[in-house]
Every structure is written in structure tokens, then in C-alpha cells.
Amino acid sequence: MSIQKIDLALKPHSTNIATNKNINNMKNLKSILVASLLTIGSFMAVLVTSCNPDKCKDIVCVNGGTCLDGTCSCPAGYVGTLCDTKANSFFAGTWSAKEKVNGAAAWGTPYAVIVTADGTDPKTFYFMNYGNYTCTTGTYQVSAMTSNGKDYSISNTACSTNFTGIGSLSTVGSTSTISGTYSATYGTPTTTDNVVIEMTK
């Protein structure tokens, strides 16, 4: 009788061992499942990254430019793939200018205009003898502004004349052309010239 009692006493203990094993198995299964999900997540992150590479990784924009989706966005006054070119540099040089004044049908006599770029401000450049007006003080300069190296505007006084105007530069092959319009107000009584101008080099 005593032996049977001992056997009966051991049975509940065996049940506890089996229960603990089941719990441990569940914990192990949960750990394996979590590890698997983390592994899959890491793989997907790598896959997505490899499919969407950083297009700006090897691009260095200069002069305050910023890279967006592989392309440099340049501040006013700078152009080029890396924002490494001053906008006013496109206008520099000696140009042959011709004009139609106050609605004239024919072009007037060509004259030379020398354009220089400002050394500090990349947006500013200067037309020397723009309009071919006669000044008692000699050579004069009309300042202009460009943000993109193509379009420009004029609004200043030179040679006792108030100049206002706009224009744009285009290049076909080796020939560059500046086409624009301007008004020049001067003298007493006041005279205003409305001018269409074209310059080539």
C-alpha cells in the first residue's frame, strides 16, 4: 500500500514537467517567429533601399545649390549641372548691335556694344554704349540683371538717360543673339525712344 501511495504522489509531478515543456516549446516557437519576422523585415528594407538608390549620393552642388532627386537646384545668379557657372558670364563679350527706334521698319546702322560681367555679383553685367547715345563724359555703362543666364532686365540711369527694358539671350550653333526692347528717356524737353534691339556675336 505504501508503494502505491508513492506512485500516486509522483503522477502530479510528471504532469507538471510535461506542462512546463509545453510552455517552453511555445516560448521557443514565439522567439523563432519573432526572429523570422525581423529577418524578413531587414531583408525587405535592404531590397527597398537597393531598388531606390540615393540619386544625390555622388553629386556635389556648389555656390549654395542643393541636390534634389539627382539634379542641382541653383540659387539666382548661378547655372550649370553643379551650379558652377555665373549667370552673367554668358553675356560677356563684344556684340554687334542694331536697332529699330520708335516703330521704324528698317534696322539702323550697326554699332559695337561691349558687355562685361560684374566680378562680385553673378547676376549683374554691364552694356557699354548701350543705345549708342552721345555723352559729354565719354563712355557709359548700362547695368543689367540676370538670374538664369538667359533673361535680363534693365532699370537705371546712364549718360543722363533713364533706361528701362527687358531681353533674352539665345544660342544656335556658334552664334549667340540678344533680343530685347527698351525705353530711353532723356533731355529737356523730355524725349522718349522706344527701341527694339538685336545683338549678335
Side-chain angles (χ1 to χ4, degrees), residues 39-52:
T39 301
I40 293 172
S42 300
F43 174 76
M44 291 301 295
V46 171
L47 184 62
V48 170
T49 302
S50 63
C51 291
N52 297 281

Side-chain angles (χ1 to χ4, degrees), residues 86-183:
K86 292 181 179 180
N88 59 9
S89 66
F90 293 98
F91 293 88
T94 300
W95 300 77
S96 176
K98 59 184 180 180
E99 299 180 338
K100 292 180 180 180
V101 183
N102 295 327
W107 292 104
T109 303
Y111 65 95
V113 174
I114 298 174
V115 180
T116 56
D118 188 271
T120 303
D121 184 355
K123 300 185 297 295
T124 302
F125 61 97
Y126 307 98
F127 290 108
M128 186 178 293
N129 293 328
Y130 190 73
N132 203 29
Y133 290 89
T134 302
C135 290
T136 56
T137 56
T139 301
Y140 65 94
Q141 293 186 142
V142 176
S143 62
M145 299 285 289
T146 180
S147 295
N148 57 13
K150 294 181 180 180
D151 305 305
Y152 70 89
S153 61
I154 295 171
S155 181
N156 72 293
T157 299
C159 189
S160 300
T161 302
N162 182 39
F163 292 90
T164 58
I166 58 173
S168 62
L169 180 151
S170 61
T171 299
V172 178
S174 59
T175 301
S176 295
T177 302
I178 293 176
S179 301
T181 59
Y182 71 88
S183 294

Side-chain angles (χ1 to χ4, degrees), residues 55-75 78-85:
K55 295 181 180 180
C56 292
K57 181 180 178 182
D58 299 319
I59 296 177
V60 180
C61 306
V62 297
N63 295 314
T66 56
C67 183
L68 179 62
D69 198 27
T71 302
C72 288
S73 176
C74 305
Y78 290 99
V79 296
T81 303
L82 301 177
C83 306
D84 53 348
T85 303

